[in-house]
Amino acid sequence: MGPLTGQEHDGAGAVAVRAAWGTYQQIADRLRARIASGELAPGAEVPSEADLGAEFGVARTTVRRALAVLEREGLVAVAPGRGRTVSGPGSPAPFPGESAAARIARDLAGQVAGGDLAPGDRLPSEHALAAEHGVSRGTARQALARLETAGLVEAAQGRGRYVRAADAASARREARCQDQ
């Protein structure tokens, strides 16, 4: 793919490369097409901001704006310290401004409310949640802490976290949790 920029001369002989208005949307469209075609499959790493910037001939800030569009659409997920990956089918669509921890907590609370996780069932470990959702263990820990605070989960020292006996209404309320 070719650059999406124009060049301007500043009178002193220097060339400044500026992205045309709406370039980030064009980049988002091209990446969206790659995802739809399977060129970027679910779970695949999205090229780095620097690589995309070089490919399209734009600054990293323009690439960041394009990737932010795809993140809001739920097509791309961010794993702090690991980069961005293509979201898989069935991944819950994020609420605007929702953190990964809030999304994971909402997903688990939905499983409790739907009966997939019954009272007394052991929840996946931090490590398993981190791997499943492509996040750090700290993010998975934050998600589990949200559920503990909501009273849906209790921790058993050295044994893990378990679904606490709770009424379905409180599980549904937690399933709608927003990032605070």
Side-chain angles (χ1 to χ4, degrees):
M1 301 267 161
L4 300 172
T5 60
Q7 295 182 348
E8 297 177 356
H9 297 275
D10 70 355
V15 176
V17 178
R18 295 186 48 94
W21 186 260
T23 301
Y24 76 97
Q25 285 289 3
Q26 293 175 29
I27 295 170
D29 290 343
R30 289 186 184 182
L31 293 173
R32 196 179 295 110
R34 288 182 191 175
I35 292 168
S37 73
E39 182 182 340
L40 286 174
E45 289 184 13
V46 175
S48 71
E49 291 174 1
D51 289 345
L52 289 171
E55 176 183 343
F56 294 114
V58 297
R60 286 177 59 181
T61 54
T62 303
V63 172
R64 271 190 215 117
R65 288 185 72 189
L67 292 170
V69 169
L70 299 177
E71 289 168 30
R72 283 191 302 272
E73 293 174 0
L75 295 174
V76 172
V78 178
R82 294 179 51 203
R84 293 175 176 89
T85 59
V86 177
S87 297
S91 296
F95 290 115
E98 181 180 49
S99 69
R103 179 179 43 80
I104 295 167
R106 179 172 49 88
D107 179 51
L108 289 171
Q111 291 179 41
V112 171
D116 295 330
L117 288 172
D121 283 354
R122 184 174 178 183
L123 270 69
S125 68
E126 291 172 3
H127 179 75
L129 285 172
E132 178 183 344
H133 294 278
V135 298
S136 68
R137 282 186 61 190
T139 300
R141 188 176 305 120
Q142 289 174 0
L144 293 168
R146 285 173 177 265
L147 297 175
E148 286 181 54
T149 301
L152 292 176
V153 172
E154 57 189 347
Q157 186 69 28
R159 294 185 323 182
R161 292 180 176 89
Y162 296 85
V163 177
R164 190 181 261 181
D167 63 308
S170 66
R172 282 191 297 277
R173 192 170 41 253
E174 178 60 22
R176 292 187 303 265
C177 73
Q178 294 281 327
D179 200 18
Q180 298 174 5

